[in-house]
Amino acid sequence: MRRDLLTGNAAAAWGARLAEVDYIPAYPITPQTEIIEDLAQWIGRGELEARLVTLDSEHSMLTAAGAAAATGARVFTATSSQGLVYGFEMLYTVAGWRVPLVLVNVSRALAAPITLEPDHNDVLAARDSGFLQIHAETCQEVLDSVLMAYRLTEHPDVLLPVLVNLDGFYLSFTREPVSLPAAAAVREFLPAYQPVHAKLSAGHAMAQGVAVLGGSAYAFFKYQMQRAAEAALAVHAGIAAEFADRFGRSYGVVEGYQLDDAEWVIVMANSFSTVGKAEVSRLRAGGEKVGLLRLRLVRPFPVATIVAALSGRRAVAVIDQNISIGKGGILFAEVASVLRGGSAPPLRSFIGGLGGRRFRSEEFDLMLAALRQAEHSGGSSEPHLLFSETEYLQLREMLRIAHGQK
């Protein structure tokens, strides 16, 4: 094992390299392109025995990925933002094929207006597609999650594609120390894929897919996908335990930070959780019993684990780095849907980090004050949009200049 300074993109590429993937259909898009560039360089130098093919769009890329996975190949691909939504039709199709595939999404906010900075409207738009979702906070977690994702997607009780998400720019281009496991050790953890369900075999020809199904048969296969996603929770637990034994790093379906005695809890996901942890430490230093729950597995949604982590707290704030226009935070709605009964804490919804907007310390003070109020007045589903007076004045000035006003 060695340690290198790697970007999040390079860590994702190393995950695919160590997984010894067979096929990489690709289409470039900022901020994901570095992943494909690294893999192409390794293939060009003979360091990775894989076939990389550039397609004419993300829709074609995901079609090729699913088709190759149906032949029994180990397939890796990556995209971001508009690319993910451009291939949206194929997300549902590939998941319905029940073929193993790992797709890395480098989160970037969706247009319009356009920005290259991250939020999670792209990846969360795919949450109902049948792809399982792992959300990473650090570069090390990106690499490790890609390896774990192959074990998860290839497990016979699962056979659903897995999407590993990392934040564009804040993680994709940030260098962090990353431990690179030895190829031999990874090979023991992740042996070559031996397909039994979908494969290319002249001796055992098989047809996949049918033209049209009636409602009963369609419902049956959709229920099978739901059961497989539910089974993924137990499968993930076994994979995570083995990964911890072999490589010394432990990953649950959620991560608790300063959570044991926390009276007030903040729920976050992805790389901005690092900012949240720093703020929790600052508030702890001031005597506040605050903790943070980071959502790592978003699909399947780890209901029992979240209920156990949040029940009995004085109040909980869910910070969404996304916005469902007309409703509010997506993760707030998901968390609220599983908490009920006398032990359910009052909840408050906050939306911040859209387009990569940085959080301010005073906003965490505001959230804590809102939780104190919620303990007595009850929760609220109304989203609180984080935006400072300074930002508002700066934007007014930009609009004044844009309108040519003096």
Side-chain angles (χ1 to χ4, degrees), residues 396-397 399-406:
R396 280 188 56 182
E397 179 64 10
L399 291 171
R400 184 189 66 78
I401 295 171
H403 291 151
Q405 299 172 347
K406 295 182 179 179

Side-chain angles (χ1 to χ4, degrees), residues 137 170 268 270-281 292 358-361 364:
E137 178 188 2
Y170 284 90
M268 298 183 74
N270 288 279
S271 68
F272 277 32
S273 300
T274 303
V275 176
K277 291 175 181 176
E279 291 300 326
V280 165
S281 295
L292 185 144
R358 295 296 299 261
F359 290 95
R360 279 72 169 166
S361 291
F364 284 85

